[in-house]
Amino acid sequence: MIRLSDRLQIIADQIKKGETVADIGTDHGFLPIFLWESGISPRVIMTDISPGSLKKAEENCIRLHPDTQFDLRLGSGIEVLDCEETDCLVIAGMGGILITEILGKDIKKAQSFRKMILQPRNNIGLLRYWLYNNGFSICNEQLVREGKYICEILTVLPKEMAVARNLGPDRIEYEYPHTLIKFAGPLTREYLCNKLIIEKNILHGMEASDNISYADIRSRQYRIDYIRRLIEKL
């Protein structure tokens, strides 16, 4: 049986026994193969826009389970899926903006899946903003270490009505929401402390510059104070 990385295992843990899964950008196909061979998912679909990546997944399928015919599809995002074709949609290891573009090409189809598990490489705030304002609800958030990075994993459900927020997409409240405290785990404090150090370093650089406005400095100070308050609540 395939042994998953900690990141992929956390994603797998969000999938209930009996749920069918489509893995977008599957690459090696390790996650869907694991879900199938462990008896969690009776059906898995592996998709990738790259012929080379999909070939790797196919080779792993043949090597590990030569007598099983897996569903592999070449194409972009969710375009290769039908509405409601699987219970769960996984999009992991891509940029947050790219994830919004994949889902935004057909929001009706994206909302047809019962659950989505999203693991962005960056722009987590913009992804949260897009989800909240396009009819999705984040029901769980997990942090997992991968090398020197701490990754965010979101479990997302469709809602009948979008929840519009008055805050702009660049606000820190989307990058580090209070739900980080609600779903706090062993990495939450380290995650926020690392972000606080980054914000302080940016502020120090701004203060040393002659071309930065007072308003920009105050905005950065607000970000620092906001993260500090989150850490205090842990």
Side-chain angles (χ1 to χ4, degrees):
M1 179 178 290
I2 285 180
R3 181 179 177 83
L4 297 178
S5 66
D6 290 344
R7 177 178 67 92
L8 291 180
Q9 186 61 59
I10 291 293
I11 293 174
D13 290 344
Q14 308 308 306
I15 299 169
K16 297 179 181 179
K17 186 175 178 62
E19 288 184 327
T20 57
V21 175
D23 185 27
I24 307 300
T26 194
D27 196 29
H28 292 85
F30 292 148
L31 175 65
I33 293 173
F34 170 84
L35 292 171
W36 179 84
E37 66 184 11
S38 60
I40 296 173
S41 298
R43 180 181 178 226
V44 294
I45 301 174
M46 308 176 207
T47 84
D48 209 295
I49 195 172
S50 165
S53 293
L54 199 64
K55 182 66 175 177
K56 288 187 291 184
E58 181 181 22
E59 290 172 350
N60 283 326
C61 290
I62 295 172
R63 175 175 60 86
L64 294 167
H65 301 283
D67 297 327
T68 301
Q69 184 68 40
F70 286 92
D71 192 343
L72 296 99
R73 303 182 188 183
L74 180 65
S76 176
I78 60 176
E79 294 178 4
V80 295
L81 301 174
D82 294 328
C83 285
E84 302 180 344
E85 189 170 4
T86 63
D87 299 314
C88 184
L89 188 72
V90 175
I91 307 179
M94 302 183 193
I97 293 176
L98 178 56
I99 293 175
T100 68
E101 292 172 348
I102 288 173
L103 299 176
K105 286 184 177 180
D106 193 336
I107 293 180
K108 182 178 179 181
K109 182 186 290 185
Q111 292 175 336
S112 75
F113 303 103
R114 297 180 182 177
K115 179 169 65 181
M116 295 191 299
I117 301 169
L118 310 177
Q119 186 266 300
R121 288 293 189 190
N122 50 44
N123 291 308
I124 182 70
L126 293 177
L127 175 58
R128 283 196 184 95
Y129 174 85
W130 188 92
L131 291 169
Y132 284 136
N133 288 277
N134 284 277
F136 297 94
S137 173
I138 299 171
C139 68
N140 194 11
E141 301 191 26
Q142 302 282 328
L143 296 174
V144 61
R145 191 185 306 280
E146 185 180 44
K148 63 179 181 178
Y149 300 104
I150 296 178
C151 304
E152 304 98 335
I153 297 172
L154 308 180
T155 303
V156 178
L157 304 177
K159 298 187 69 175
E160 291 184 2
M161 295 184 63
V163 180
R165 303 294 178 92
N166 293 325
L167 301 177
D170 296 324
R171 288 292 295 262
I172 192 171
E173 288 83 355
Y174 288 113
E175 293 180 63
Y176 316 115
H178 284 268
T179 48
L180 285 172
I181 307 304
K182 177 181 178 182
F183 299 114
L187 294 177
T188 306
R189 181 176 294 276
E190 178 184 349
Y191 174 77
L192 289 173
C193 286
N194 288 344
K195 299 300 183 182
L196 181 61
I197 291 171
I198 292 172
E199 293 292 339
K200 286 181 176 180
N201 289 339
I202 293 174
L203 177 62
H204 291 158
M206 293 172 68
E207 291 173 336
S209 174
D210 296 329
N211 301 317
I212 302 298
S213 69
Y214 176 73
D216 288 337
I217 290 178
R218 288 295 301 160
S219 176
R220 187 61 56 177
Q221 185 63 58
Y222 172 81
R223 293 174 64 88
I224 291 172
D225 292 341
Y226 176 87
I227 296 175
R228 280 175 173 161
R229 290 195 297 271
L230 285 182
I231 294 173
E232 290 172 358
K233 291 182 178 180
L234 288 172

Short mmCIF file of all heavy atoms in Angstrom, two decimals, residues 51-115:
data_model
loop_
_atom_site.label_atom_id
_atom_site.label_comp_id
_atom_site.label_asym_id
_atom_site.label_seq_id
_atom_site.Cartn_x
_atom_site.Cartn_y
_atom_site.Cartn_z
N PRO A 51 0.24 16.02 -19.91
CA PRO A 51 0.33 14.61 -20.34
C PRO A 51 1.42 13.85 -19.59
O PRO A 51 1.25 12.68 -19.25
CB PRO A 51 0.65 14.72 -21.84
CG PRO A 51 0.16 16.07 -22.24
CD PRO A 51 0.38 16.94 -21.05
N GLY A 52 2.54 14.53 -19.31
CA GLY A 52 3.62 13.88 -18.60
C GLY A 52 3.24 13.48 -17.18
O GLY A 52 3.57 12.38 -16.72
N SER A 53 2.53 14.38 -16.49
CA SER A 53 2.11 14.08 -15.12
C SER A 53 1.09 12.95 -15.11
O SER A 53 1.15 12.05 -14.25
CB SER A 53 1.52 15.34 -14.47
OG SER A 53 2.52 16.32 -14.28
N LEU A 54 0.15 12.99 -16.04
CA LEU A 54 -0.86 11.93 -16.08
C LEU A 54 -0.23 10.59 -16.43
O LEU A 54 -0.68 9.54 -15.95
CB LEU A 54 -1.95 12.29 -17.09
CG LEU A 54 -3.27 11.53 -16.93
CD1 LEU A 54 -3.92 11.88 -15.59
CD2 LEU A 54 -4.23 11.83 -18.08
N LYS A 55 0.82 10.64 -17.24
CA LYS A 55 1.53 9.40 -17.58
C LYS A 55 2.16 8.80 -16.33
O LYS A 55 2.17 7.57 -16.14
CB LYS A 55 2.60 9.70 -18.63
CG LYS A 55 3.37 8.46 -19.11
CD LYS A 55 2.47 7.49 -19.86
CE LYS A 55 3.25 6.34 -20.42
NZ LYS A 55 2.38 5.33 -21.09
N LYS A 56 2.71 9.65 -15.45
CA LYS A 56 3.30 9.15 -14.20
C LYS A 56 2.24 8.46 -13.35
O LYS A 56 2.50 7.41 -12.75
CB LYS A 56 3.94 10.31 -13.43
CG LYS A 56 5.22 10.83 -14.03
CD LYS A 56 5.88 11.86 -13.13
CE LYS A 56 5.09 13.14 -13.05
NZ LYS A 56 5.79 14.18 -12.26
N ALA A 57 1.04 9.08 -13.29
CA ALA A 57 -0.04 8.46 -12.52
C ALA A 57 -0.43 7.12 -13.12
O ALA A 57 -0.65 6.14 -12.40
CB ALA A 57 -1.25 9.40 -12.48
N GLU A 58 -0.50 7.07 -14.45
CA GLU A 58 -0.86 5.81 -15.13
C GLU A 58 0.18 4.73 -14.85
O GLU A 58 -0.16 3.58 -14.58
CB GLU A 58 -0.98 6.05 -16.62
CG GLU A 58 -1.39 4.82 -17.41
CD GLU A 58 -1.48 5.08 -18.90
OE1 GLU A 58 -0.85 6.06 -19.37
OE2 GLU A 58 -2.17 4.31 -19.59
N GLU A 59 1.44 5.10 -14.90
CA GLU A 59 2.51 4.12 -14.64
C GLU A 59 2.44 3.60 -13.21
O GLU A 59 2.67 2.41 -12.97
CB GLU A 59 3.87 4.78 -14.91
CG GLU A 59 4.13 5.04 -16.39
CD GLU A 59 5.39 5.85 -16.63
OE1 GLU A 59 5.95 6.38 -15.63
OE2 GLU A 59 5.80 5.99 -17.79
N ASN A 60 2.11 4.47 -12.26
CA ASN A 60 1.97 4.02 -10.87
C ASN A 60 0.78 3.09 -10.69
O ASN A 60 0.84 2.11 -9.94
CB ASN A 60 1.84 5.22 -9.94
CG ASN A 60 3.18 5.91 -9.69
OD1 ASN A 60 4.22 5.26 -9.65
ND2 ASN A 60 3.14 7.22 -9.53
N CYS A 61 -0.30 3.38 -11.41
CA CYS A 61 -1.48 2.51 -11.36
C CYS A 61 -1.14 1.11 -11.88
O CYS A 61 -1.50 0.09 -11.26
CB CYS A 61 -2.62 3.10 -12.18
SG CYS A 61 -3.36 4.60 -11.48
N ILE A 62 -0.44 1.07 -12.99
CA ILE A 62 -0.08 -0.22 -13.59
C ILE A 62 0.91 -0.97 -12.71
O ILE A 62 0.81 -2.19 -12.52
CB ILE A 62 0.51 0.01 -15.00
CG1 ILE A 62 -0.57 0.59 -15.93
CG2 ILE A 62 1.08 -1.28 -15.57
CD1 ILE A 62 -0.04 1.02 -17.29
N ARG A 63 1.87 -0.23 -12.15
CA ARG A 63 2.89 -0.87 -11.31
C ARG A 63 2.29 -1.45 -10.03
O ARG A 63 2.63 -2.56 -9.61
CB ARG A 63 3.97 0.16 -10.96
CG ARG A 63 5.04 -0.35 -10.00
CD ARG A 63 6.13 0.69 -9.81
NE ARG A 63 5.61 1.94 -9.28
CZ ARG A 63 5.45 2.17 -7.96
NH1 ARG A 63 5.75 1.23 -7.07
NH2 ARG A 63 4.99 3.34 -7.53
N LEU A 64 1.37 -0.70 -9.41
CA LEU A 64 0.83 -1.12 -8.11
C LEU A 64 -0.37 -2.04 -8.23
O LEU A 64 -0.56 -2.93 -7.41
CB LEU A 64 0.46 0.13 -7.30
CG LEU A 64 1.63 1.02 -6.89
CD1 LEU A 64 1.13 2.37 -6.39
CD2 LEU A 64 2.48 0.34 -5.83
N HIS A 65 -1.20 -1.81 -9.26
CA HIS A 65 -2.42 -2.60 -9.41
C HIS A 65 -2.64 -2.90 -10.89
O HIS A 65 -3.53 -2.33 -11.54
CB HIS A 65 -3.63 -1.83 -8.83
CG HIS A 65 -3.46 -1.49 -7.38
ND1 HIS A 65 -3.63 -2.42 -6.37
CD2 HIS A 65 -3.12 -0.32 -6.77
CE1 HIS A 65 -3.42 -1.83 -5.20
NE2 HIS A 65 -3.11 -0.57 -5.41
N PRO A 66 -1.85 -3.79 -11.45
CA PRO A 66 -1.88 -4.06 -12.89
C PRO A 66 -3.21 -4.62 -13.39
O PRO A 66 -3.50 -4.51 -14.59
CB PRO A 66 -0.73 -5.06 -13.09
CG PRO A 66 -0.54 -5.69 -11.74
CD PRO A 66 -0.84 -4.63 -10.76
N ASP A 67 -4.00 -5.20 -12.52
CA ASP A 67 -5.25 -5.81 -12.96
C ASP A 67 -6.46 -4.88 -12.78
O ASP A 67 -7.60 -5.30 -13.02
CB ASP A 67 -5.51 -7.10 -12.17
CG ASP A 67 -4.42 -8.14 -12.43
OD1 ASP A 67 -3.91 -8.17 -13.57
OD2 ASP A 67 -4.09 -8.91 -11.50
N THR A 68 -6.20 -3.64 -12.39
CA THR A 68 -7.30 -2.69 -12.15
C THR A 68 -7.28 -1.58 -13.18
O THR A 68 -6.22 -1.02 -13.49
CB THR A 68 -7.19 -2.09 -10.74
OG1 THR A 68 -7.22 -3.14 -9.78
CG2 THR A 68 -8.33 -1.12 -10.47
N GLN A 69 -8.44 -1.25 -13.72
CA GLN A 69 -8.56 -0.17 -14.69
C GLN A 69 -8.98 1.10 -13.96
O GLN A 69 -10.10 1.21 -13.47
CB GLN A 69 -9.60 -0.52 -15.76
CG GLN A 69 -9.73 0.51 -16.87
CD GLN A 69 -8.47 0.56 -17.75
OE1 GLN A 69 -7.88 -0.46 -18.07
NE2 GLN A 69 -8.08 1.77 -18.13
N PHE A 70 -8.08 2.08 -13.88
CA PHE A 70 -8.38 3.33 -13.21
C PHE A 70 -8.86 4.37 -14.22
O PHE A 70 -8.57 4.29 -15.41
CB PHE A 70 -7.14 3.86 -12.47
CG PHE A 70 -6.83 3.10 -11.21
CD1 PHE A 70 -5.94 2.02 -11.24
CD2 PHE A 70 -7.40 3.44 -10.00
CE1 PHE A 70 -5.63 1.32 -10.09
CE2 PHE A 70 -7.10 2.75 -8.84
CZ PHE A 70 -6.22 1.68 -8.88
N ASP A 71 -9.57 5.37 -13.72
CA ASP A 71 -10.14 6.43 -14.55
C ASP A 71 -9.18 7.62 -14.56
O ASP A 71 -9.10 8.39 -13.60
CB ASP A 71 -11.51 6.85 -13.98
CG ASP A 71 -12.29 7.74 -14.94
OD1 ASP A 71 -11.68 8.30 -15.87
OD2 ASP A 71 -13.51 7.90 -14.73
N LEU A 72 -8.43 7.76 -15.65
CA LEU A 72 -7.48 8.87 -15.79
C LEU A 72 -7.94 9.76 -16.94
O LEU A 72 -8.27 9.27 -18.03
CB LEU A 72 -6.07 8.35 -16.07
CG LEU A 72 -5.43 7.53 -14.95
CD1 LEU A 72 -5.56 6.04 -15.23
CD2 LEU A 72 -3.96 7.91 -14.78
N ARG A 73 -7.93 11.08 -16.70
CA ARG A 73 -8.45 12.01 -17.71
C ARG A 73 -7.48 13.17 -17.91
O ARG A 73 -7.05 13.82 -16.95
CB ARG A 73 -9.82 12.55 -17.28
CG ARG A 73 -10.84 11.45 -17.02
CD ARG A 73 -12.19 12.03 -16.65
NE ARG A 73 -13.11 10.96 -16.21
CZ ARG A 73 -14.37 11.17 -15.88
NH1 ARG A 73 -14.89 12.41 -15.93
NH2 ARG A 73 -15.12 10.16 -15.48
N LEU A 74 -7.17 13.44 -19.16
CA LEU A 74 -6.30 14.55 -19.52
C LEU A 74 -7.16 15.78 -19.81
O LEU A 74 -8.06 15.73 -20.64
CB LEU A 74 -5.46 14.19 -20.75
CG LEU A 74 -4.49 15.26 -21.26
CD1 LEU A 74 -3.40 15.52 -20.24
CD2 LEU A 74 -3.89 14.83 -22.61
N GLY A 75 -6.88 16.88 -19.12
CA GLY A 75 -7.65 18.09 -19.37
C GLY A 75 -7.45 19.12 -18.27
O GLY A 75 -6.77 18.88 -17.28
N SER A 76 -8.09 20.26 -18.46
CA SER A 76 -7.91 21.39 -17.56
C SER A 76 -8.96 21.42 -16.45
O SER A 76 -10.16 21.43 -16.73
CB SER A 76 -7.99 22.71 -18.36
OG SER A 76 -7.92 23.83 -17.51
N GLY A 77 -8.50 21.41 -15.23
CA GLY A 77 -9.37 21.61 -14.09
C GLY A 77 -10.56 20.68 -14.03
O GLY A 77 -10.45 19.47 -14.25
N ILE A 78 -11.73 21.27 -13.77
CA ILE A 78 -12.95 20.47 -13.64
C ILE A 78 -13.70 20.33 -14.97
O ILE A 78 -14.80 19.79 -15.00
CB ILE A 78 -13.90 21.07 -12.57
CG1 ILE A 78 -14.32 22.50 -12.93
CG2 ILE A 78 -13.22 21.06 -11.20
CD1 ILE A 78 -15.34 23.10 -11.96
N GLU A 79 -13.06 20.81 -16.04
CA GLU A 79 -13.71 20.71 -17.35
C GLU A 79 -13.92 19.26 -17.77
O GLU A 79 -14.82 18.95 -18.55
CB GLU A 79 -12.88 21.45 -18.41
CG GLU A 79 -12.83 22.96 -18.20
CD GLU A 79 -11.95 23.65 -19.23
OE1 GLU A 79 -11.45 22.96 -20.15
OE2 GLU A 79 -11.76 24.87 -19.12
N VAL A 80 -13.08 18.36 -17.27
CA VAL A 80 -13.16 16.95 -17.68
C VAL A 80 -14.15 16.17 -16.81
O VAL A 80 -14.29 14.95 -16.98
CB VAL A 80 -11.78 16.29 -17.62
CG1 VAL A 80 -10.85 16.92 -18.64
CG2 VAL A 80 -11.18 16.38 -16.22
N LEU A 81 -14.83 16.85 -15.87
CA LEU A 81 -15.80 16.20 -15.00
C LEU A 81 -17.21 16.66 -15.34
O LEU A 81 -17.42 17.76 -15.86
CB LEU A 81 -15.51 16.54 -13.53
CG LEU A 81 -14.14 16.17 -12.97
CD1 LEU A 81 -14.00 16.72 -11.56
CD2 LEU A 81 -13.93 14.67 -12.99
N ASP A 82 -18.18 15.81 -15.02
CA ASP A 82 -19.58 16.19 -15.13
C ASP A 82 -20.06 16.70 -13.77
O ASP A 82 -19.47 16.41 -12.73
CB ASP A 82 -20.44 14.99 -15.54
CG ASP A 82 -20.13 14.51 -16.95
OD1 ASP A 82 -19.78 15.37 -17.80
OD2 ASP A 82 -20.22 13.30 -17.20
N CYS A 83 -21.15 17.45 -13.77
CA CYS A 83 -21.73 17.90 -12.52
C CYS A 83 -22.10 16.70 -11.65
O CYS A 83 -22.60 15.69 -12.17
CB CYS A 83 -22.98 18.74 -12.78
SG CYS A 83 -22.65 20.41 -13.39
N GLU A 84 -21.81 16.80 -10.37
CA GLU A 84 -22.17 15.78 -9.38
C GLU A 84 -21.52 14.42 -9.69
O GLU A 84 -21.98 13.39 -9.19
CB GLU A 84 -23.68 15.61 -9.28
CG GLU A 84 -24.42 16.89 -8.92
CD GLU A 84 -25.92 16.68 -8.82
OE1 GLU A 84 -26.42 15.65 -9.32
OE2 GLU A 84 -26.59 17.55 -8.26
N GLU A 85 -20.45 14.40 -10.48
CA GLU A 85 -19.87 13.11 -10.86
C GLU A 85 -19.19 12.41 -9.69
O GLU A 85 -19.13 11.18 -9.63
CB GLU A 85 -18.88 13.28 -12.02
CG GLU A 85 -18.44 11.94 -12.59
CD GLU A 85 -17.66 12.08 -13.88
OE1 GLU A 85 -17.38 13.23 -14.31
OE2 GLU A 85 -17.32 11.04 -14.47
N THR A 86 -18.66 13.19 -8.77
CA THR A 86 -18.05 12.60 -7.57
C THR A 86 -18.55 13.34 -6.33
O THR A 86 -19.07 14.45 -6.43
CB THR A 86 -16.51 12.67 -7.60
OG1 THR A 86 -16.11 14.04 -7.59
CG2 THR A 86 -15.96 11.97 -8.81
N ASP A 87 -18.37 12.71 -5.17
CA ASP A 87 -18.75 13.36 -3.92
C ASP A 87 -17.77 14.45 -3.54
O ASP A 87 -18.17 15.51 -3.05
CB ASP A 87 -18.79 12.32 -2.78
CG ASP A 87 -19.80 11.23 -3.02
OD1 ASP A 87 -20.94 11.56 -3.41
OD2 ASP A 87 -19.46 10.04 -2.84
N CYS A 88 -16.50 14.19 -3.78
CA CYS A 88 -15.46 15.06 -3.25
C CYS A 88 -14.49 15.48 -4.36
O CYS A 88 -14.13 14.67 -5.22
CB CYS A 88 -14.70 14.34 -2.13
SG CYS A 88 -13.46 15.35 -1.32
N LEU A 89 -14.09 16.73 -4.31
CA LEU A 89 -13.13 17.28 -5.26
C LEU A 89 -11.88 17.70 -4.50
O LEU A 89 -11.97 18.40 -3.50
CB LEU A 89 -13.74 18.49 -5.97
CG LEU A 89 -12.98 19.09 -7.15
CD1 LEU A 89 -13.06 18.17 -8.35
CD2 LEU A 89 -13.57 20.46 -7.50
N VAL A 90 -10.71 17.25 -4.95
CA VAL A 90 -9.45 17.63 -4.32
C VAL A 90 -8.64 18.45 -5.30
O VAL A 90 -8.42 18.04 -6.45
CB VAL A 90 -8.64 16.39 -3.90
CG1 VAL A 90 -7.27 16.81 -3.36
CG2 VAL A 90 -9.39 15.58 -2.85
N ILE A 91 -8.20 19.63 -4.85
CA ILE A 91 -7.27 20.45 -5.63
C ILE A 91 -6.16 20.84 -4.67
O ILE A 91 -6.35 21.67 -3.78
CB ILE A 91 -7.94 21.71 -6.22
CG1 ILE A 91 -9.20 21.34 -7.01
CG2 ILE A 91 -6.95 22.44 -7.12
CD1 ILE A 91 -9.92 22.54 -7.61
N ALA A 92 -4.99 20.26 -4.85
CA ALA A 92 -3.90 20.45 -3.89
C ALA A 92 -2.60 20.77 -4.61
O ALA A 92 -2.35 20.28 -5.71
CB ALA A 92 -3.74 19.19 -3.03
N GLY A 93 -1.78 21.61 -3.96
CA GLY A 93 -0.46 21.89 -4.48
C GLY A 93 -0.42 22.93 -5.58
O GLY A 93 0.57 23.04 -6.30
N MET A 94 -1.49 23.72 -5.72
CA MET A 94 -1.54 24.79 -6.72
C MET A 94 -1.66 26.13 -6.01
O MET A 94 -2.00 26.20 -4.84
CB MET A 94 -2.74 24.61 -7.65
CG MET A 94 -2.78 23.30 -8.39
SD MET A 94 -4.20 23.26 -9.51
CE MET A 94 -4.23 21.52 -9.92
N GLY A 95 -1.41 27.20 -6.74
CA GLY A 95 -1.57 28.53 -6.19
C GLY A 95 -3.03 28.84 -5.91
O GLY A 95 -3.93 28.33 -6.59
N GLY A 96 -3.27 29.68 -4.91
CA GLY A 96 -4.65 30.02 -4.56
C GLY A 96 -5.41 30.69 -5.67
O GLY A 96 -6.60 30.43 -5.88
N ILE A 97 -4.75 31.55 -6.43
CA ILE A 97 -5.42 32.23 -7.55
C ILE A 97 -5.78 31.24 -8.64
O ILE A 97 -6.88 31.30 -9.22
CB ILE A 97 -4.53 33.37 -8.09
CG1 ILE A 97 -4.39 34.48 -7.04
CG2 ILE A 97 -5.13 33.94 -9.39
CD1 ILE A 97 -3.46 35.61 -7.45
N LEU A 98 -4.88 30.31 -8.93
CA LEU A 98 -5.18 29.28 -9.93
C LEU A 98 -6.38 28.44 -9.51
O LEU A 98 -7.23 28.09 -10.33
CB LEU A 98 -3.96 28.39 -10.16
CG LEU A 98 -4.14 27.23 -11.15
CD1 LEU A 98 -4.60 27.74 -12.51
CD2 LEU A 98 -2.85 26.42 -11.28
N ILE A 99 -6.48 28.12 -8.23
CA ILE A 99 -7.63 27.36 -7.74
C ILE A 99 -8.93 28.14 -7.98
O ILE A 99 -9.93 27.56 -8.42
CB ILE A 99 -7.46 27.01 -6.26
CG1 ILE A 99 -6.30 26.03 -6.07
CG2 ILE A 99 -8.75 26.39 -5.70
CD1 ILE A 99 -5.97 25.72 -4.63
N THR A 100 -8.92 29.44 -7.72
CA THR A 100 -10.14 30.24 -7.97
C THR A 100 -10.48 30.25 -9.46
O THR A 100 -11.65 30.23 -9.82
CB THR A 100 -9.98 31.68 -7.47
OG1 THR A 100 -9.01 32.38 -8.26
CG2 THR A 100 -9.56 31.72 -6.02
N GLU A 101 -9.46 30.27 -10.31
CA GLU A 101 -9.71 30.27 -11.76
C GLU A 101 -10.30 28.94 -12.20
O GLU A 101 -11.20 28.89 -13.05
CB GLU A 101 -8.41 30.56 -12.50
CG GLU A 101 -7.91 31.99 -12.29
CD GLU A 101 -6.53 32.22 -12.88
OE1 GLU A 101 -5.87 31.22 -13.25
OE2 GLU A 101 -6.10 33.39 -12.95
N ILE A 102 -9.78 27.84 -11.65
CA ILE A 102 -10.30 26.51 -12.00
C ILE A 102 -11.77 26.40 -11.61
O ILE A 102 -12.61 25.95 -12.40
CB ILE A 102 -9.47 25.42 -11.30
CG1 ILE A 102 -8.09 25.33 -11.96
CG2 ILE A 102 -10.18 24.07 -11.35
CD1 ILE A 102 -7.13 24.40 -11.23
N LEU A 103 -12.10 26.81 -10.40
CA LEU A 103 -13.48 26.71 -9.92
C LEU A 103 -14.38 27.74 -10.58
O LEU A 103 -15.55 27.49 -10.85
CB LEU A 103 -13.51 26.89 -8.40
CG LEU A 103 -12.72 25.86 -7.58
CD1 LEU A 103 -12.76 26.22 -6.09
CD2 LEU A 103 -13.28 24.45 -7.80
N GLY A 104 -13.81 28.93 -10.86
CA GLY A 104 -14.61 30.02 -11.41
C GLY A 104 -15.01 29.82 -12.86
O GLY A 104 -15.94 30.49 -13.34
N LYS A 105 -14.37 28.90 -13.57
CA LYS A 105 -14.76 28.65 -14.96
C LYS A 105 -16.16 28.06 -15.06
O LYS A 105 -16.82 28.20 -16.08
CB LYS A 105 -13.74 27.71 -15.63
CG LYS A 105 -12.43 28.39 -15.98
CD LYS A 105 -11.51 27.44 -16.73
CE LYS A 105 -10.22 28.14 -17.14
NZ LYS A 105 -9.31 27.23 -17.88
N ASP A 106 -16.58 27.36 -14.02
CA ASP A 106 -17.93 26.78 -14.00
C ASP A 106 -18.36 26.64 -12.54
O ASP A 106 -18.26 25.57 -11.95
CB ASP A 106 -17.94 25.42 -14.69
CG ASP A 106 -19.35 24.92 -14.99
OD1 ASP A 106 -20.29 25.36 -14.29
OD2 ASP A 106 -19.51 24.10 -15.91
N ILE A 107 -18.84 27.75 -11.98
CA ILE A 107 -19.20 27.76 -10.56
C ILE A 107 -20.33 26.78 -10.27
O ILE A 107 -20.35 26.11 -9.23
CB ILE A 107 -19.57 29.19 -10.10
CG1 ILE A 107 -18.33 30.08 -10.15
CG2 ILE A 107 -20.14 29.17 -8.68
CD1 ILE A 107 -18.58 31.50 -9.74
N LYS A 108 -21.29 26.68 -11.19
CA LYS A 108 -22.40 25.75 -10.99
C LYS A 108 -21.89 24.32 -10.85
O LYS A 108 -22.36 23.57 -9.98
CB LYS A 108 -23.39 25.84 -12.16
CG LYS A 108 -24.60 24.94 -11.99
CD LYS A 108 -25.58 25.10 -13.15
CE LYS A 108 -26.78 24.18 -12.98
NZ LYS A 108 -27.73 24.31 -14.12
N LYS A 109 -20.94 23.94 -11.69
CA LYS A 109 -20.37 22.60 -11.58
C LYS A 109 -19.58 22.46 -10.28
O LYS A 109 -19.68 21.43 -9.59
CB LYS A 109 -19.46 22.31 -12.78
CG LYS A 109 -18.88 20.89 -12.75
CD LYS A 109 -17.87 20.67 -13.87
CE LYS A 109 -18.55 20.64 -15.23
NZ LYS A 109 -17.59 20.30 -16.32
N ALA A 110 -18.80 23.49 -9.93
CA ALA A 110 -18.01 23.44 -8.70
C ALA A 110 -18.91 23.25 -7.48
O ALA A 110 -18.57 22.52 -6.55
CB ALA A 110 -17.17 24.71 -8.55
N GLN A 111 -20.07 23.89 -7.51
CA GLN A 111 -21.00 23.78 -6.39
C GLN A 111 -21.76 22.45 -6.38
O GLN A 111 -22.44 22.14 -5.40
CB GLN A 111 -22.00 24.94 -6.42
CG GLN A 111 -21.37 26.29 -6.12
CD GLN A 111 -22.34 27.43 -6.29
OE1 GLN A 111 -23.33 27.33 -7.03
NE2 GLN A 111 -22.08 28.53 -5.62
N SER A 112 -21.62 21.67 -7.44
CA SER A 112 -22.35 20.39 -7.50
C SER A 112 -21.67 19.29 -6.69
O SER A 112 -22.29 18.28 -6.40
CB SER A 112 -22.51 19.94 -8.96
OG SER A 112 -21.29 19.43 -9.49
N PHE A 113 -20.40 19.50 -6.34
CA PHE A 113 -19.70 18.51 -5.53
C PHE A 113 -20.03 18.75 -4.06
O PHE A 113 -20.09 19.88 -3.59
CB PHE A 113 -18.19 18.60 -5.77
CG PHE A 113 -17.82 18.43 -7.22
CD1 PHE A 113 -17.47 19.53 -8.00
CD2 PHE A 113 -17.83 17.18 -7.82
CE1 PHE A 113 -17.15 19.39 -9.33
CE2 PHE A 113 -17.50 17.02 -9.15
CZ PHE A 113 -17.17 18.13 -9.92
N ARG A 114 -20.24 17.68 -3.33
CA ARG A 114 -20.65 17.81 -1.94
C ARG A 114 -19.58 18.42 -1.06
O ARG A 114 -19.88 19.06 -0.05
CB ARG A 114 -21.04 16.43 -1.38
CG ARG A 114 -22.23 15.79 -2.07
CD ARG A 114 -22.53 14.43 -1.46
NE ARG A 114 -23.65 13.78 -2.13
CZ ARG A 114 -24.09 12.57 -1.83
NH1 ARG A 114 -23.51 11.88 -0.85
NH2 ARG A 114 -25.11 12.03 -2.49
N LYS A 115 -18.34 18.23 -1.44
CA LYS A 115 -17.24 18.70 -0.60
C LYS A 115 -16.01 18.93 -1.47
O LYS A 115 -15.79 18.22 -2.44
CB LYS A 115 -16.95 17.65 0.48
CG LYS A 115 -15.82 18.00 1.41
CD LYS A 115 -15.79 17.06 2.61
CE LYS A 115 -15.48 15.64 2.24
NZ LYS A 115 -15.48 14.73 3.40
#
